[in-house]
Amino acid sequence: MKKRIYLSTVMAMLLLPLISFSQFKVSAEFRPRFEMNNGLVKPMPDSVDTRYFVTQRTRLKFDFIKEKYQLRLTIQDVRYWGSGDIYSSTGVFGFTNGLDIKEAWFRLKLCEFSDLTIGRQVLILDDQRLIAGRNWNQYGIAYDALRYTFVKHKWKLSAVVSYNTNTNLNNGKFVTDEQFFGKDNLMKSLNFIHLHRAFNQHFQASLLAVGAAYQATGNNEVLYMTGTYGFWLGYKRGIFDMTANLYYQNGRAQSGKEVSAYMATIDPGVKAGIFRIGIGADYISGDNAENSDYGEKERTFNRMYGAVHKYYGYMNYYSWMKASTANGGLVDLYPNIKAFISKKHSITAMFHKFYLANPVFVDEIKIASDQDLGAELDLMYSYKPMEELHVQAGFSYYFTTTTLEQVKKVAGSDISTPYWGWVMITFTPQLFVTN
């Protein structure tokens, strides 16, 4: 009996430091979303039926936290309901390739004011115009990177470096997909320095310098570096709030051409009772088809991995500016209103009026006679009955124009009225935590 007591005492003494100075947390996320799609991304021909489908994101997150370090592993599964590929005549049994690693990183505390995070991680800067988590997408977006952070006296400095590859072995020989980082705006290397300062409780600002390396199409040995530089401002006092961005780009694009582009945004608003009323404006530079030097430089601003759904209409008509605007750039004017009915209920209405920033070619020789890209109306209802549960529903309608149909390459066919509706439930319970 004494021996058992002695062993128990020794074990308790050994485990006490682990229990006292560490924390282990397990949390989950369940996010099913029903969608009704009749013209998402671009108008649909009348001959195409409205699509109805449900997607679901399921995440399980593990955090182990000690005084000097933290580990995180987030596993996720994203699927369409009914899309399993293991089935028989009696029903669907499962899916062979659904699991994914959303986050897998290790954070080491270097000193009182700085730390180093290594691995797959979510990066979010300011209002997410350039570097975002893109959380509306069921997969979201994470970055394989090394991040250094220094925080002291209301200053925060972040420095990130990364280098991506897509190489595997086939019969003992390296095989490289040269096209993987040579298309779709995928970065071979993302590097940035971000300096943020909270001057007081009302005003904050940041400076950002990004070096994004893109692999030349068809040649994995050539990298072109695009530089992006600028600032973000945030102000809130009394009933007034505002954010603003201004960024300039130079260097070389994926095409090898010189870059000269810029983006400017401003989003002010005021609170009146239960309402927040705003009127924002975004300008994304592009190339002018009427100029004699058209096409000699890349003048359409590359928004990199910035948030799309949040800022340029819920129907995602302008996800990649160069392709979405036929290289012309974009002007977006968006009056909006949000009603905070109660702590649990809110309603948002946003109206976007879109224009091309410059005349564009709609075929090899013809220039669009009008720069009006139409408008979009977005409505959203939000209900949060408890901290872990969030219910949202929305409806969007796009008012098309001839220019939009030409830019989206659907002109000449009978176009159905573009609309889109959705209902989404997000449940984020904490399953386990040690104190």
Side-chain angles (χ1 to χ4, degrees):
M1 183 69 179
K2 291 181 179 180
K3 187 176 181 180
R4 290 181 180 177
I5 294 174
Y6 173 76
L7 289 174
S8 299
T9 303
V10 172
M11 291 296 294
M13 291 177 66
L14 291 174
L15 292 174
L16 185 60
L18 179 64
I19 296 172
S20 301
F21 301 105
S22 65
Q23 185 181 52
F24 181 61
K25 297 190 294 185
V26 182
S27 57
E29 180 186 65
F30 302 92
R31 195 173 86 165
R33 183 166 70 221
F34 166 80
E35 297 184 45
M36 173 184 61
N37 178 7
N38 192 72
L40 199 64
V41 179
K42 69 178 183 179
M44 294 169 54
D46 266 335
S47 57
V48 178
D49 293 333
T50 302
R51 294 181 59 216
Y52 302 90
F53 55 90
V54 180
T55 59
Q56 178 171 317
R57 178 171 85 190
T58 306
R59 287 178 177 170
L60 192 61
K61 181 168 68 176
F62 304 88
D63 280 289
F64 183 72
I65 305 168
K66 293 201 71 173
E67 183 180 359
K68 294 294 185 181
Y69 65 83
Q70 179 181 352
L71 293 170
R72 173 172 293 176
L73 175 63
T74 304
I75 302 171
Q76 76 174 7
D77 172 75
V78 177
R79 66 180 65 232
Y80 285 84
W81 280 13
S83 65
D85 55 5
I86 304 173
Y87 57 89
S88 73
S89 58
T90 60
V92 176
F93 299 141
F95 199 64
T96 58
N97 58 352
L99 287 179
D100 180 31
I101 300 297
K102 169 63 178 178
E103 294 177 284
W105 51 258
F106 164 70
R107 177 175 295 154
L108 179 64
K109 189 172 182 179
L110 301 178
C111 66
E112 182 182 357
F113 306 108
S114 65
D115 58 60
L116 186 67
T117 306
I118 304 172
R120 171 156 290 197
Q121 55 194 284
V122 175
L123 299 175
I124 293 176
L125 298 182
D126 303 322
D127 57 0
Q128 306 190 58
R129 297 281 182 170
L130 297 181
I131 307 295
R134 290 191 173 183
N135 194 48
W136 173 259
N137 185 324
Q138 291 285 43
Y139 289 92
I141 186 171
Y143 305 79
D144 298 313
L146 183 152
R147 179 176 188 173
Y148 171 78
T149 304
F150 179 86
V151 181
K152 188 176 182 181
H153 300 319
K154 298 184 180 180
W155 289 94
K156 182 177 181 179
L157 172 68
S158 297
V160 164
V161 295
S162 71
Y163 187 80
N164 304 306
T165 59
N166 187 45
T167 303
N168 54 26
L169 286 173
N170 185 9
N171 296 325
K173 297 181 179 179
F174 283 105
V175 178
T176 302
D177 179 4
E178 294 183 351
Q179 297 299 316
F180 185 75
F181 289 101
K183 63 177 183 179
D184 297 333
N185 208 36
L186 294 174
M187 296 179 190
K188 183 73 174 177
S189 178
L190 171 65
N191 315 277
F192 66 77
I193 296 176
H194 180 253
L195 181 61
H196 180 271
R197 165 71 171 175
F199 292 92
N200 52 49
Q201 61 179 331
H202 307 297
F203 178 62
Q204 53 185 318
S206 68
L207 298 174
L208 177 65
V210 182
Y214 296 94
Q215 181 178 291
T217 303
N219 188 345
N220 66 323
E221 296 181 355
V222 176
L223 294 181
Y224 295 117
M225 183 69 75
T226 301
T228 305
Y229 325 92
F231 63 85
W232 168 85
L233 303 176
Y235 182 81
K236 185 175 183 179
R237 186 164 190 168
I239 64 171
F240 179 76
D241 67 87
M242 183 194 71
T243 60
N245 295 269
L246 181 62
Y247 294 104
Y248 173 74
Q249 283 179 339
N250 65 2
R252 291 191 178 273
Q254 284 176 287
S255 61
K257 297 178 182 178
E258 290 186 15
V259 177
S260 180
Y262 61 95
M263 175 179 76
T265 78
I266 186 167
D267 184 14
V270 295
K271 286 204 69 176
I274 65 170
F275 299 99
R276 191 269 185 189
I277 303 169
I279 178 164
D282 284 23
Y283 184 92
I284 307 295
S285 69
D287 208 351
N288 191 329
E290 295 179 340
N291 290 345
S292 59
D293 62 348
Y294 177 82
E296 293 182 5
K297 290 184 177 182
E298 293 288 0
R299 295 185 173 89
T300 302
F301 187 86
N302 184 347
R303 297 182 59 259
M304 299 184 288
Y305 293 155
V308 176
H309 179 86
K310 181 179 181 180
Y311 290 114
Y312 298 99
Y314 291 172
M315 296 183 72
N316 293 341
Y317 271 52
Y318 305 99
S319 55
W320 185 22
M321 288 300 166
K322 184 173 181 180
S324 300
T325 65
N327 205 29
L330 184 72
V331 176
D332 178 16
L333 306 176
Y334 49 99
N336 56 89
I337 184 170
K338 185 171 184 177
F340 300 89
I341 301 171
S342 69
K343 291 183 178 180
K344 297 181 179 180
H345 302 269
S346 66
I347 298 175
T348 303
M350 185 171 295
F351 184 81
H352 292 266
K353 188 70 186 81
F354 298 110
Y355 297 92
L356 289 167
N358 297 279
V360 301
F361 285 109
V362 291
D363 55 38
E364 293 184 359
I365 58 174
K366 184 180 178 182
I367 296 177
S369 58
D370 190 357
Q371 293 174 215
D372 187 354
L373 290 172
E376 180 177 330
L377 175 64
D378 296 321
L379 303 174
M380 183 175 69
Y381 166 71
S382 176
Y383 172 54
K384 199 167 185 178
M386 61 185 74
E387 184 64 29
E388 300 87 354
L389 183 62
H390 195 186
V391 181
Q392 296 166 284
F395 182 82
S396 298
Y397 185 97
Y398 202 104
F399 303 85
T400 63
T401 63
T402 300
T403 301
L404 176 84
E405 294 174 8
Q406 291 173 333
V407 167
K408 293 292 184 179
K409 301 187 185 306
V410 294
S413 58
D414 293 328
I415 301 301
S416 178
T417 300
Y419 61 85
W420 172 65
W422 56 277
V423 178
M424 183 169 74
I425 300 172
T426 306
F427 181 51
T428 54
Q430 183 170 275
L431 305 180
F432 176 81
V433 62
T434 61
N435 295 321

